[in-house]
Amino acid sequence: MENQGALQQSAYVEPEEEASLPTLEPITNQTPRPRIGGKFLFVGNEKFWVKGVSYGAFRPDEEGNEYTDNEKLERDFAQMAASGVNTVRIPHTMPPRSLLDIAAKHGLRVMVGLSAEQYAGYLVDKKADAPDVVELVRNKVREVAGHPALLCYAVGNEIQASLVRWIGRKKVERYIRSIYKAIKSVDPQGLVTYVNYPTTEYLDLSFLDLLAFNVYLESEDKLAAYLQKLQNLACDRPLLMSEVGLDCLRNGEEEQARSLDWQIRTAFAEGCVGIVVFSWTDEWYRAEAEVEDWAFGLTNRDRVAKPGLHAVSRAFEEAPFPAQMDWPMVTVVVCSYNGAATIRDTMEGFKTLDYPDYEVIVVNDGSTDDTAKIVGEYDVKLISTENRGLSNARNTGWQNAAGEIIAYIDDDAYPDPHWLQYLAYRFMTNDFVGVGGPNLAPPGDGPIAECVYNAPGGPVQVLLTDIEAEHIPGCNMAFKREALEAIEGFDGRYRAAGDDVDVCWRLQAKGWKIGFHAAAMDWHHRRNSIEMYWNQQKGYGKAEALLEEKWPEKYNTLGHTTWGGRMYGAGFTLPLGRRQRVYGGLMGGAPFQSIYEMAPATIWSLPLMPEWYLLVGFLGILSLLGPLWPPMLWILPVFLASVAIPVIQAGISASRATFLRDPALSREQKLKQWFLTTAMHLTQPLARLKGRVDHGLTIWRRGGDALLLLPWPKSFAIWTEKWEDPGNRPFQFTSELERKGCVFEYGGDFDDWDIEVSGGLLGGARMMMAVEDHGGGAHYIRVRFWPKLRTSVFFISGLLLLLSLFAALDQAWLATCVLAISGLAVLIRSIRECASAQGLLAVTFERFKATLLVDPE
């Protein structure tokens, strides 16, 4: 398979003798507890890969208890440890503390199942004698809380999809959250997950510490594709495959071995933090009976190893990637201007990289601080230049690189140890010319930096599919050197921002694709003061203006980028009118049930735009006319509502901040950071708006210079004997619009017009083209264009003029003049913008006509 080709050299082969595996150290009270580190798990400073097996359920003893045969536990756990297993998952029964003691002795960690799914039915059938599930869970957690062998708690395992559908998605989510909170109240440092599966994938469990899924797919490509989807669903959290397996009775032991080999390798290659194989043994007890018609075990009932155990041991030993893989050489480029405050972290991060063939180039772009001195302490290539801006520094980097892949990281970021492996893997298994990954805020940067990470305007990726990107942020992006050469590198006009967007668009304009790997993460320091955040957002507004000058076709008439993909990351401001639908299939029986975000109604989308604040200001001015004419006080509630909407949506968006699930923060600290994050959601659009307006990207911009033409429908025709595919004629016309810098957009699938040229916020002009083919390469081209007044013009100007009439009747002459002048100004401005847009079309038509009638020299 193409997406697994790089791993084929390590595919399962029956071993002639047992491989020698590393010995696990016993876990003691001095051993650090597992913690989350971005997309991965760590024990202390070492990354912890979950190499697990599912264990049980087994027949209980006479008193109804499981896992009481300590001799059997000793034998099984010793055999697991000798086979390269480091994690035991107990899925259905709360294990006794003695089991964790034995696991610790053999260096194994335990994933404890709390079986909350058994009590989900009480959400429907509320009975007087129903147990207090939350208190029941607390008591279970107290038995093992703080145990050094504890990996994590699993709230439950696969609440049945039909039951979730019956109870209701939101109610089940609240139920799981209540148990999560109960666990954290007893063991704040304990990691908590819920074992989900594809049929209830749609559950929003973003409050959990890590995402866990049971997945049974018997195709490498399908498994890889689904893991890529789950990685984006996990966002900034680790993804654990909590159950995979294959039945030997129906497929055979050799097929089980081969299947488990590629499932494990695929899971690690796609960035999973680990995988749990179902199960350790064929011995299995469910519903008060021994299960004898399945044989998923890596050992039989007598604990004799099957070929699958050898395959699993070898795949675990080589995780996350086989040592013998033929990795391409990578050049890591860091561009720095006065980055002394953070670049030491970047340099130290390179020491941790687990990659066999790479070099580091630091381009010191005219820094006046200690950047060069700090970099000089490390074994990297330092190139110092005068200050020429970020794009030129990036060009210097790749032009001096020896690697076939150029990976860029910022001087305020540092890489995960496996950063280059995941980037290179995506290059090796797909036809991408660029690959990026997520950038997460490192811990310990302070509360303001945490708030900035959870505020809008950060560097995020835009994905067309789960691994194909439309845009990757500049702080974590890599490109093939030959691709950068083909487009002559980065555009020097982008001195501080916008270069990453531009280079992605230029590569895609050549028909090439850009990829994404969710595990190719780096740690990116956020701005650590409100002033720095404000200035950063103004700079991004400036970059948007520069991009719009070069790429007008990428922007709509209001001056906003029209992305084809979906943005992923933290800090987005969510509209109040969010609409979500769950795909459940016929009678809720679809095997993969996803949640889909529906586009919000326009009224709820408008408050997300920076220009909403202009409307707020306009309504505020009108409400000030109240003392002059009391009926204008009716505008005051509208003004207050226009203020309240962004405040409410900012507060709701801030409530999804990652710091709210940090057990180390007090309630008071979380509340303070929530208020600050809410304020950032409100001020970020203002900063971005200021940067845009200061550099000409306004909603009233026109683009291009043209005469004013009477806004009236006009038709033209051209006879040409210069043949061209009729379908390309409209694009010939738009290429002329692009040369003039016009702002335009194409008509949609259901529109009866081809092109709309903007004259500003209030008016524009539309065009339609028809091409008659007369044979012999001759075409008769008909062009029609007409003015397009925005619907809002009639409403706003009509309302203002009507109000001025009523004010005149009440002899409130000052209010009459203000309202009448405002209404007429809106109407006149809109007519002028229509005239301007038609003038642009007329001038462009003449140029278009000249290209058809005159042969180029």
Side-chain angles (χ1 to χ4, degrees):
M1 299 293 187
E2 181 187 21
N3 67 340
Q4 296 295 319
L7 302 178
Q8 288 301 307
Q9 56 187 297
S10 299
Y12 167 70
V13 177
E14 178 67 30
E16 295 181 2
E17 59 182 39
E18 192 73 31
S20 176
L21 296 170
T23 303
L24 297 177
E25 294 290 332
I27 300 171
T28 68
N29 289 328
Q30 284 70 46
T31 304
R33 297 189 69 179
R35 63 177 176 85
I36 302 294
K39 298 288 291 182
F40 301 101
L41 291 173
F42 286 80
V43 173
N45 293 322
E46 295 293 322
K47 191 174 286 188
F48 182 78
W49 302 104
V50 176
K51 305 170 184 179
V53 292
S54 182
Y55 190 63
F58 301 128
R59 180 184 291 276
D61 61 18
E62 294 178 353
E63 297 179 358
N65 298 317
E66 289 185 56
Y67 307 108
T68 56
D69 187 343
N70 289 347
E71 291 185 4
K72 179 189 287 188
L73 292 175
E74 288 276 4
R75 290 194 302 271
D76 284 348
F77 286 3
Q79 188 179 7
M80 290 178 193
S83 301
V85 173
N86 65 12
T87 300
V88 182
R89 181 188 169 205
I90 311 298
H92 301 294
T93 307
M94 178 70 189
R97 192 175 182 89
S98 58
L99 182 146
L100 277 74
D101 293 336
I102 297 171
K105 175 182 174 182
H106 293 280
L108 301 176
R109 297 192 179 272
V110 182
M111 183 176 177
V112 173
L114 298 174
S115 306
E117 73 278 1
Q118 298 177 11
Y119 307 101
Y122 288 113
L123 296 174
V124 181
D125 303 319
K126 297 181 179 180
K127 299 180 180 179
D129 59 346
D132 184 341
V133 178
V134 170
E135 188 58 33
L136 188 67
V137 167
R138 284 198 186 99
N139 291 333
K140 287 184 176 183
V141 172
R142 289 188 184 103
E143 296 177 22
V144 297
H147 197 288
L150 180 68
L151 175 67
C152 66
Y153 300 96
V155 168
N157 181 77
E158 296 185 4
I159 299 177
Q160 295 179 25
S162 59
L163 185 58
V164 174
R165 190 167 177 248
W166 181 274
I167 297 172
R169 173 170 62 93
K170 293 293 185 181
K171 197 169 184 179
V172 171
E173 291 168 358
R174 288 194 295 270
Y175 172 64
I176 296 174
R177 183 188 285 268
S178 68
I179 298 175
Y180 164 83
K181 290 181 176 179
I183 297 169
K184 289 291 187 178
S185 68
V186 178
D187 191 358
Q189 302 303 319
L191 303 181
V192 183
T193 187
Y194 166 80
V195 177
N196 206 347
Y197 69 135
T199 318
T200 55
E201 173 200 305
Y202 53 80
L203 289 174
D204 180 5
L205 305 176
S206 55
F207 51 86
L208 296 172
D209 296 314
L210 66 156
L211 194 69
F213 261 76
N214 296 342
V215 180
Y216 287 84
L217 286 170
E218 298 179 15
S219 160
E220 295 179 58
D221 284 347
K222 289 181 179 179
L223 178 62
Y226 192 60
L227 293 179
Q228 292 154 9
K229 179 180 182 180
L230 292 180
Q231 283 285 16
N232 290 321
L233 189 66
C235 195
D236 60 352
R237 298 170 297 159
L239 172 63
L240 172 66
M241 287 295 94
S242 46
E243 194 171 291
V244 300
L246 193 70
D247 179 21
C248 291
L249 287 184
R250 292 161 181 80
N251 299 280
E253 293 185 356
E254 296 296 329
E255 181 57 30
Q256 183 201 44
R258 280 186 285 271
S259 177
L260 289 175
D261 180 82
W262 63 253
Q263 288 185 66
I264 292 170
R265 297 183 189 281
T266 300
F268 282 112
E270 291 301 334
C272 292
V273 74
I275 190 167
V276 177
V277 176
F278 178 79
S279 65
W280 173 247
T281 174
D282 287 342
E283 181 185 356
W284 202 43
Y285 185 86
R286 291 290 286 167
E288 300 183 355
E290 296 284 350
V291 178
E292 298 181 350
D293 61 343
W294 279 3
F296 279 80
L298 297 177
T299 67
N300 64 21
R301 293 173 182 271
D302 297 324
R303 305 314 195 254
V304 176
K306 300 178 186 179
L309 181 57
H310 302 302
V312 167
S313 296
R314 183 181 176 194
F316 278 168
E317 183 183 11
E318 296 179 345
F321 291 101
Q324 66 270 29
M325 284 186 69
D326 186 17
W327 298 102
M329 183 180 179
V330 178
T331 296
V332 180
V333 175
V334 184
C335 302
S336 183
Y337 174 69
N338 289 342
T342 55
I343 200 167
R344 188 177 295 279
D345 283 351
T346 311
M347 297 296 105
E348 289 293 325
F350 293 145
K351 290 182 177 181
T352 70
L353 283 176
D354 183 4
Y355 196 80
D357 192 11
Y358 73 97
E359 65 171 352
V360 176
I361 295 177
V362 177
V363 181
N364 176 30
D365 187 35
S367 298
T368 58
D369 61 4
D370 290 336
T371 296
K373 180 181 177 181
I374 294 171
V375 174
E377 300 174 16
Y378 297 86
D379 185 19
V380 301
K381 184 177 181 179
L382 174 63
I383 302 175
S384 293
T385 68
E386 62 181 9
N387 181 247
R388 300 173 301 151
L390 179 58
S391 289
N392 285 314
R394 293 199 195 276
N395 287 334
T396 299
W398 71 261
Q399 288 164 356
N400 288 273
E404 59 184 281
I405 294 173
I406 315 298
Y408 290 97
I409 188 170
D410 282 1
D411 62 356
D412 58 353
Y414 58 93
D416 175 81
H418 297 90
W419 174 55
L420 292 182
Q421 286 189 342
Y422 288 117
L423 288 176
Y425 175 76
R426 193 63 85 220
F427 276 112
M428 295 163 66
T429 54
N430 293 271
D431 58 349
F432 297 131
V433 298
V435 174
N439 62 99
L440 308 182
D445 275 0
I448 294 180
E450 283 188 292
C451 293
V452 170
Y453 175 68
N454 289 281
V460 297
Q461 61 272 10
V462 182
L463 300 185
L464 297 167
T465 69
D466 290 312
I467 61 166
E468 184 181 351
E470 185 176 5
H471 166 252
I472 49 179
C475 58
N476 185 358
M477 63 182 183
F479 301 100
K480 290 184 177 179
R481 191 181 194 279
E482 59 187 19
L484 290 176
E485 288 179 331
I487 63 170
E488 299 181 351
F490 294 83
D491 189 335
R493 79 179 74 184
Y494 304 104
R495 293 185 55 87
D499 57 298
D500 49 355
V501 178
D502 175 72
V503 79
C504 288
W505 284 346
R506 286 159 60 208
L507 290 170
Q508 290 164 335
K510 282 187 168 290
W512 294 332
K513 295 189 294 184
I514 296 170
F516 178 79
H517 199 306
M521 59 160 282
D522 67 18
W523 297 101
H524 187 203
H525 296 286
R526 267 33 181 197
R527 300 298 188 267
N528 209 4
S529 76
I530 297 174
E531 181 182 5
M532 292 170 66
Y533 175 65
W534 174 270
N535 290 334
Q536 179 195 48
Q537 296 307 310
K538 283 200 305 180
Y540 287 164
K542 174 184 176 181
E544 286 185 275
L546 292 175
L547 285 165
E548 196 267 347
E549 289 178 4
K550 184 176 180 179
W551 300 90
E553 71 276 16
K554 297 286 188 180
Y555 286 75
N556 59 27
T557 54
L558 295 179
H560 296 280
T561 312
T562 51
W563 295 108
R566 178 182 175 184
M567 293 184 179
Y568 287 84
F572 295 116
T573 304
L574 304 175
L576 292 183
R578 292 181 72 201
R579 297 182 297 166
Q580 296 177 319
R581 295 186 66 184
V582 173
Y583 168 74
L586 182 63
M587 300 185 185
F592 294 84
Q593 299 189 22
S594 303
I595 192 163
Y596 292 90
E597 192 86 20
M598 311 298 290
T602 303
I603 186 63
W604 298 118
S605 299
L606 292 176
L608 297 176
M609 298 169 53
E611 290 77 15
W612 178 263
Y613 289 90
L614 299 179
L615 174 62
V616 172
F618 177 68
L619 291 173
I621 292 172
L622 289 182
S623 64
L624 291 176
L625 294 176
L628 302 176
W629 186 43
M632 290 300 292
L633 291 174
W634 287 105
I635 294 180
L636 185 60
V638 181
F639 165 69
L640 294 176
S642 70
V643 173
I645 289 173
V647 171
I648 293 171
Q649 69 185 14
I652 293 174
S653 301
S655 68
R656 298 175 64 89
T658 55
F659 57 74
L660 294 176
R661 60 176 190 254
D662 184 354
L665 295 180
S666 67
R667 184 181 182 87
E668 182 182 356
Q669 289 173 313
K670 290 179 180 179
L671 187 60
K672 287 180 179 179
Q673 290 186 216
W674 175 82
F675 273 116
L676 181 55
T677 306
T678 299
M680 288 179 175
H681 276 273
L682 290 169
T683 57
Q684 185 268 348
L686 284 171
R688 193 68 73 95
L689 178 63
K690 179 169 175 50
R692 289 159 58 93
V693 171
D694 286 348
H695 294 87
L697 182 53
T698 63
I699 55 177
W700 53 84
R701 80 204 186 288
R702 183 177 70 248
D705 296 316
L707 50 82
L708 297 179
L709 194 64
L710 185 66
W712 199 257
K714 298 184 182 298
S715 297
F716 304 91
I718 313 169
W719 175 269
T720 180
E721 296 181 1
K722 293 176 63 176
W723 188 87
E724 176 69 43
D725 184 340
N728 289 338
R729 294 297 189 189
F731 297 102
Q732 285 182 296
F733 192 92
T734 56
S735 67
E736 298 298 329
L737 287 173
E738 290 175 3
R739 288 191 185 96
K740 292 190 65 63
C742 298
V743 179
F744 69 91
E745 62 180 314
Y746 294 104
D749 294 337
F750 296 94
D751 292 324
D752 59 356
W753 49 273
D754 299 325
I755 300 164
E756 180 176 317
V757 174
S758 174
L761 173 64
L762 303 176
R766 288 177 175 174
M767 190 202 83
M768 178 190 294
M769 181 181 292
V771 181
E772 299 178 17
D773 192 339
H774 287 266
H779 285 164
Y780 192 62
I781 304 173
R782 301 178 186 272
V783 175
R784 178 194 305 153
F785 47 81
W786 61 95
K788 170 58 181 174
L789 282 171
R790 312 290 182 211
T791 306
S792 57
V793 169
F794 297 103
F795 176 78
I796 295 172
S797 62
L799 178 63
L800 291 172
L801 291 173
L802 184 62
L803 289 173
S804 70
L805 177 61
F806 288 134
L809 294 175
D810 285 347
Q811 298 183 358
W813 302 118
L814 183 57
T816 300
C817 292
V818 172
L819 291 169
I821 291 172
S822 298
L824 289 173
V826 169
L827 187 60
I828 293 170
R829 175 71 187 187
S830 64
I831 294 173
R832 188 186 187 284
E833 289 182 359
C834 288
S836 174
Q838 291 218 175
L840 287 170
L841 280 173
V843 171
T844 303
F845 175 79
E846 292 301 320
R847 176 59 188 163
F848 173 67
K849 179 179 178 181
T851 62
L852 298 181
L853 299 179
V854 180
D855 289 324
E857 296 181 0

